[in-house]
Every structure is written in structure tokens, then in C-alpha cells.
């Protein structure tokens, strides 16, 4: 009679939850519990709702960490990880990553809103939530986070379907929110900024990306009404003046009242709507605490930048300035910008900037002001002004620690870039020099080594086609304190390495020889028999004459991390 009846397949779920929990109590192995939890959401909820003392005293529990980090995550993987945690109240950081967008669309792991409800219900003390490339999540996930994470301080959501409604709920219910980063959602508008202004009063860091519909006046209104905001990062935004009426009124009010704000970091990347007049609006807010400024691929020129940093009534004490794909009308204008912040600046980074048609042959003495705190100078693909800038550094700096030059002009001669570098090295105890894709020769490397006064700790000479290894004697004699040496894709051979290592380097930790066609497997024997007590990492990637078998053998014998 029993066999003749048509029965439901899911008979166990007809039992009360207390009965199912009693069955699960006899699972002493945590792996068995994780397997049961991945069967259905009801079992997962029952397992996660039990207190630690419910389980057998012989059960083995997973070690507890503050951060729950998972990659390529789906619902089942997340459930297994949560059920395996002994004390879930200790977990404060949730970090979930999926693969690239293409992998998700191709049928990769999926994470649903139900899984977010499950983990935020189980871990009630979350202070930080990071969701990256979780494209299957909807706006409901933001509502769940807002409801279940009242102590939330940091929220990162990259590439999702969150909208103004979900973000406004987070701002309203998570009153301790201090850091917010939202990128890649097509549904975020100026209404989200309005919600942040009204409810997220403790916000200290805000990063928004790929929202061209949010305009500059809305950003200004946010700045004017967030007294604790310390860092603002905008990517792919600001298409001009705002349609938000409140923003226009606030902007008009700002013309008459100068407001002090404690913003210390301003990062603007790919904001085509931001032009010089927009920088003039930013300048009306007194950013006296601004320490780090980044402008990358915007339509701002030196005129707008001078309006921001050159106001005598609003002096800035910048420590770091990075300008990438930036338009200077003249090279003199670039030097003028630096002159406004020369007393406090510690790091100058210029990348692929345009300095106009005419470049002066000599440095104007009026702009060659003393720069006592500059420690880092990086110039990438700024060949036109490189010599002029190094001339200024030679005259104005005495505490420089790092120089990075990528793409120096050709040809380099002893009276050009190399000569300037030699003079700078004599005047400063520089610890790191990086010259990538530069037209330097072995002779120039010898000059640099001899001028370093044994202070050099990192020397990177990657992709310099004229280097052939005839500098080794000078390098081992004048740079005994090297910690990192990079010789990727240069014409150096085993004999040059043997000559370099004949006396050994007591402090050398990393040697990079990636893509060197003349290097063979013998280089590992040379390194193994040299005095290199601190060597930990050797990069031999793309070296055609080095076999994996040899790398494995020396890696086990010497304990090195050998990349191939």
C-alpha cells in the first residue's frame, strides 16, 4: 500500500524545523553540515540559526576571521562558507568577488539577492561590505544590506543594478556610513547625491564612477553640505551644469559665501564635462586641507588649475599632485603651477601631458623656487619638458628620494638628461631610480651608479634597448646596498650577471630578468653560488633559454620564488 502511493520526493521537509535541526545535530563533521546547507535555503537557514553549543562537543569548527572573502562566488559557495563559521558575530568584513563581466554572462557563478539576505542575517555585525562584479544582484540587495547592517561603515558595489532607491535606503538606515564607492550602475542619478546630503551626514570618503548624468553643480552641492567629507573620487562624470534646481541655487549661493571644507583628497578621472570654469567653481570652496590632487584625462587646462591652487586668499598645502593627459598651454605655465605649491609638495607625477608648441631653452629664475619637501618625481612620456623639469629639480631640491622617468628623449648625451641626473644624484641621496623605455646606454648607467653615493636601493632599467651589460663593474662598486634590480628586456647575458655578482649583494631581495633573450639556465647556477643571503624573488618570465625543470629544481634548493 505504501509503495503504490504517489509520494512527494521532499519528504524530510514535511517535518517541523525542530525535528530537522535534531537530525542535523548529529553531524559532527563541518563538511557534512556545509553539504546539507547547500541543498536548499530552508536547510541553510536551520543550520545557521543554531547556537555553537547546539552541536556535539566533538565537532570541529572552522577558524574564525574578521573578513569573509570569497572569489568566483555563487549561492552554494557562500552558504557553505557561512555555515562553516563557528562564531559569526566576529565577522565584520564581507568581500565577495565574481569574475569579469564576460565570464558572468557566459554562465559563470551567480550570486542572488537571497544569498545576500542569508549572509547579512547570519553575520549581524558587518561593518564593511564589498561586492565586485556581482551582476545578478538587483536593487533588492541594497535594501537587504540597509535593513540587516545597521552598523555598516564601508560599502563598495562595483558593476551591479543598484539604483537611487536602494542607495537612498542605505543612506537612511546606515547612519554610521563613512565610506561609499559605487561604480558601473546605470541607474544612479543626482537623486542619490541628494539622499546622501540629507541622510549620510558622517560620510568621509565618496567614490562614484561612470555616471555622466551627474553634473558638476550637484557635486558642488554635495561638497558644501558634507562637513566631514575627506576624500572625493569621480570617474567618467560631470557633463556640465546640473538640472537639479537645488544644486543651481546652492551654486549661486556659493558665489557670495566662501565655505571652508576639510577635503584632503580630490581625484578627477575622465570627466569630460569638467572644464576651466568648473575648476573656478571648485576654487570658491576653500579647500585649505587639500593634500592630494589628481586630474586625469579631463578638459581642464593650466588656467583652471591655477584658479584652484593659485588663489592667494585660499592657499593650499598640497603634498601630492598627479596630472595625466593634461593640457598646458606652455611649459612655463607648468612651472608656474608647481611654484604655487613648491613649499609643501612631496610628490609630483606627470603622465603624457601636453606642454604646447614652444619649449623654452632655459629655466626662468623667477619660477625656480626652493622646494624643500619634494621626495618623489615621476615623469612618464613627457619628453618635451623632461630636461627643463630636471633642471628645476637640480636647482630647487635637496631631499629627493625617488626618480621615475619613462620615455626619455633620444638621443641622451652626457650633457643632457644623464648629466642632469648625475648632478641631482650628487645633491640628493636618492634611493630609487626607474628609467623605463629610455635611450640610456651602459655609459649613462655607470654615471648614475658613480653619482649615487652608495644610497641607491632600487634600480629599474627595463626596456632600455641600448643597454648591453657593460656597466656591471661600476654597479657592484658604487651600489652595494641594492635591494631591487630590474633589467627586464635588455641585452644582458649570463657573463654580465656573473661579473655583477662576483662580490655578491648582501641586501638584494629581488632580481628581474624578464624577457632577456641572452639569459640561459646557467644564470640560476650563478645566482646560487653567489653571496646573496636575502634574495627571495627572481623573475625569468619570457626567457626562451630557461627551462621550467631547471627553475623548479633551483626553486626547491634555494627557497626562491622564481617566476617563469
Amino acid at each position: 500500500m505504501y509503495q503504490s502511493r504517489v509520494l512527494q520526493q521532499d519528504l524530510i521537509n514535511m517535518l517541523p524545523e525542530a525535528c530537522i535541526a535534531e537530525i542535523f545535530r548529529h553531524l559532527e563533521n563541518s563538511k557534512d553540515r556545509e553539504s546539507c546547507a547547500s541543498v536548499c535555503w530552508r536547510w541553510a537557514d536551520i543550520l545557521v540559526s543554531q547556537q555553537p553549543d547546539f552541536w556535539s562537543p566533538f565537532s570541529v569548527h572552522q577558524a574564525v576571521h574578521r573578513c569573509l572573502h570569497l572569489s568566483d562566488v555563487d549561492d552554494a559557495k557562500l552558504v557553505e562558507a557561512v555555515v562553516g563559521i563557528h562564531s559569526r558575530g566576529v565577522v565584520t568584513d564581507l568581500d565577495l568577488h565574481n569574475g569579469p563581466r564576460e565570464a558572468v554572462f557566459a554562465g559563470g557563478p551567480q550570486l542572488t539577492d537571497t544569498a545576500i539576505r542569508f549572509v547579512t542575517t547570519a553575520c549581524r555585525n558587518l561593518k564593511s561590505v564589498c561586492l565586485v562584479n556581482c551582476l545578478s544582484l538587483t536593487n533588492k540587495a541594497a535594501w537587504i544590506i540597509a535593513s540587516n547592517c545597521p552598523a555598516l561603515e564601508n560599502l563598495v558595489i562595483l558593476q551591479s543594478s543598484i539604483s537611487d532607491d536602494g542607495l537612498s535606503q542605505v543612506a537612511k538606515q546606515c547612519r554610521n556610513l563613512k565610506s561609499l564607492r559605487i561604480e558601473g550602475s546605470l541607474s544612479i542619478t543626482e537623486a542619490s547625491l541628494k539622499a546622501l546630503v540629507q541622510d549620510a551626514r558622517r560620510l568621509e570618503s565618496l567614490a562614484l564612477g561612470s555616471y555622466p548624468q551627474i553634473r558638476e553643480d550637484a557635486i558642488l552641492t554635495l561638497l558644501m553640505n558634507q562637513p566631514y567629507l575627506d576624500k572625493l573620487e569621480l570617474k567618467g562624470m560631470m557633463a556640465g551644469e546640473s538640472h537639479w534646481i537645488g544644486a543651481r541655487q546652492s551654486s549661486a549661493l556659493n558665489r557670495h559665501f566662501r565655505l571652508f571644507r576639510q577635503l584632503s583628497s580630490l581625484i578627477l578621472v575622465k570627466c569630460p564635462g569638467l572644464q576651466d570654469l568648473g575648476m573656478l567653481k571648485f576654487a570658491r570652496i576653500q579647500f585649505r586641507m587639500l593634500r592630494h590632487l589628481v586630474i586625469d584625462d579631463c578638459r581642464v587646462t593650466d588656467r583652471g588649475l591655477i584658479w584652484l591652487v593659485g588663489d592667494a586668499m585660499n592657499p593650499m598645502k598640497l603634498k601630492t599632485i598627479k596630472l595625466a593627459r593634461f593640457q598646458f598651454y606652455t611649459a612655463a605655465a607648468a612651472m608656474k603651477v608647481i611654484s604655487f605649491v613648491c613649499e609643501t609638495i612631496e610628490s609630483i607625477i606627470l603622465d603624457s601631458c601636453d606642454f604646447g608648441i614652444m619649449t623654452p631653452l632655459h629655466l626662468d629664475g623667477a619660477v625656480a623656487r626652493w622646494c624643500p619637501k619634494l621626495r618623489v618625481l615621476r615623469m612618464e612620456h613627457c619628453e618635451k619638458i623632461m630636461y627643463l623639469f630636471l633642471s628645476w629639480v637640480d636647482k630647487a631640491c635637496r631631499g629627493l628620494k625617488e626618480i621615475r622617468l619613462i620615455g626619455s628623449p633620444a638621443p641622451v648625451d652626457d650633457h643632457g638628461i644623464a648629466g642632469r641626473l648625475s648632478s641631482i644624484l650628487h645633491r640628493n641621496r636618492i634611493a630609487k631610480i626607474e628609467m623605463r623605455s629610455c635611450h640610456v646606454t651602459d655609459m649613462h648607467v655607470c654615471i648614475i651608479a658613480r653619482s649615487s653615493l652608495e644610497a641607491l636601493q632600487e634600480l629599474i632599467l627595463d626596456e632600455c634597448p641600448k643597454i648591453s651589460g657593460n656597466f656591471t663593474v661600476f654597479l657592484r662598486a658604487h651600489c652595494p646596498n641594492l635591494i631591487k634590480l630590474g633589467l627586464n628586456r635588455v641585452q644582458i647575458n649570463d657573463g654580465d650577471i656573473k661579473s655583477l655578482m662576483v662580490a655578491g649583494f648582501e641586501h638584494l631581495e629581488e632580481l628581474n630578468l624578464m624577457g632577456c633573450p641572452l639569459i640561459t639556465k646557467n644564470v640560476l647556477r650563478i645566482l646560487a653560488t653567489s653571496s646573496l643571503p636575502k634574495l627571495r624573488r627572481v623573475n625569468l618570465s619570457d626567457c626562451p633559454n630557461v627551462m621550467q625543470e631547471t627553475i623548479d629544481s633551483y626553486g626547491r634548493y634555494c627557497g626562491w620564488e622564481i617566476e617563469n
Side-chain angles (χ1 to χ4, degrees), residues 425-429 448-456 478-481:
L425 286 166
H426 273 111
R427 299 172 187 269
N428 301 265
R429 293 188 62 80
I448 291 172
R450 186 173 55 190
S451 305
S452 66
L453 305 177
E454 298 188 357
L456 203 58
H478 297 283
C479 302
N481 298 314

Side-chain angles (χ1 to χ4, degrees), residues 459-524:
L459 179 61
I460 312 298
L461 300 170
D462 296 345
E463 302 174 13
C464 296
K466 294 187 177 181
I467 290 180
S468 59
N470 294 323
F471 56 85
T472 55
V473 175
F474 275 84
L475 196 61
R476 72 168 186 255
H478 297 283
C479 302
N481 298 314
L482 277 180
I483 296 175
K484 180 178 180 180
L485 178 60
L487 298 170
N488 294 330
R489 295 187 174 87
V490 299
Q491 299 298 316
I492 195 170
N493 57 40
D494 297 345
D496 299 324
I497 297 297
K498 183 176 182 179
S499 175
L500 180 62
M501 300 299 173
V502 67
F505 284 91
E506 293 184 1
H507 306 285
L508 190 66
E509 299 177 3
E510 181 175 340
L511 176 63
N512 293 314
L513 299 170
M514 179 177 64
C516 295
L518 303 181
I519 291 294
T520 70
K521 63 181 181 180
N522 293 327
V523 75
L524 291 171

Side-chain angles (χ1 to χ4, degrees), residues 261-282:
R261 286 294 176 262
Q262 66 177 27
L263 196 73
S264 67
S265 297
L266 179 60
I267 302 172
L268 306 170
V269 179
K270 293 184 179 179
C271 298
L274 181 62
Q275 302 181 28
D276 291 340
L277 289 178
M279 296 302 289
L280 182 59
K281 293 180 181 180
F282 274 93

Side-chain angles (χ1 to χ4, degrees), residues 195-419:
L196 294 176
V197 168
Q198 292 176 347
D199 299 312
R201 304 300 297 173
R202 296 186 179 182
L203 199 62
E204 297 177 1
S205 176
L206 176 62
L208 299 174
S210 302
Y211 304 122
Q213 64 270 34
I214 297 180
R215 302 168 186 259
E216 62 186 36
D217 283 344
I219 299 297
L220 288 168
T221 300
L222 176 76
L223 287 171
M224 294 163 58
N225 291 279
Q226 288 288 352
Y228 300 108
L229 195 64
D230 180 73
K231 178 181 179 181
L232 178 63
E233 181 176 353
L234 306 175
K235 295 181 179 180
M237 297 179 60
M238 290 191 292
E241 292 188 356
S242 178
H243 294 300
W244 181 11
I245 297 176
R248 288 189 174 186
Q249 292 174 347
S250 298
S251 182
L253 183 65
N254 189 34
R255 296 188 183 98
H256 303 285
F257 296 95
R258 304 177 66 87
L259 298 177
F260 166 73
R261 286 294 176 262
Q262 66 177 27
L263 196 73
S264 67
S265 297
L266 179 60
I267 302 172
L268 306 170
V269 179
K270 293 184 179 179
C271 298
L274 181 62
Q275 302 181 28
D276 291 340
L277 289 178
M279 296 302 289
L280 182 59
K281 293 180 181 180
F282 274 93
R284 290 195 175 105
I285 302 178
Q286 294 188 3
F287 297 127
R288 294 178 184 174
M289 303 297 293
L290 195 64
R291 297 294 180 264
H292 309 283
L293 176 63
V294 176
I295 302 178
D296 184 351
D297 200 10
C298 300
R299 296 180 64 185
V300 179
T301 68
D302 53 74
R303 180 172 55 183
L305 186 56
I306 289 174
W307 282 340
L308 181 65
V309 305
D311 187 356
M313 300 297 294
N314 183 21
M316 288 188 182
K317 298 181 180 179
L318 281 180
K319 292 185 177 181
T320 302
I321 184 169
K322 177 181 178 180
L323 304 174
R325 289 159 284 277
F326 192 87
Q327 173 67 53
F328 290 99
Y329 285 116
T330 64
M335 300 306 302
K336 185 178 180 180
V337 169
I338 299 301
S339 70
F340 285 119
V341 296
C342 63
E343 294 183 0
T344 60
I345 198 71
E346 297 177 2
S347 176
I348 298 175
I349 303 172
L350 301 177
D351 182 4
S352 305
C353 296
D354 187 353
F355 299 94
I357 300 176
M358 301 297 295
T359 302
L361 298 177
H362 303 286
L363 185 65
D364 185 0
V367 298
R369 299 176 60 184
W370 180 248
C371 197
K373 297 184 178 181
L374 187 64
R375 298 292 181 267
V376 178
L377 173 64
R378 300 180 184 178
M379 301 189 70
E380 303 180 15
H381 308 293
C382 297
E383 293 86 347
K384 194 171 184 180
I385 199 177
M386 190 172 291
Y387 178 80
L388 182 69
F389 218 85
L390 291 177
S391 300
W392 168 73
V393 171
D394 188 20
K395 294 182 179 180
C397 303
R398 295 297 179 270
L400 203 62
K401 297 297 181 183
E402 177 184 337
I403 291 181
R404 180 181 184 183
L405 305 177
I406 296 182
S408 69
V412 176
D413 54 64
D414 294 340
H415 303 289
I417 301 294

Side-chain angles (χ1 to χ4, degrees), residues 61-75:
H61 298 286
Q62 176 180 318
V64 179
H65 301 280
R66 290 181 61 251
C67 179
L68 175 57
H69 173 79
L70 296 173
S71 299
D72 297 326
V73 63
D74 57 8
D75 287 5

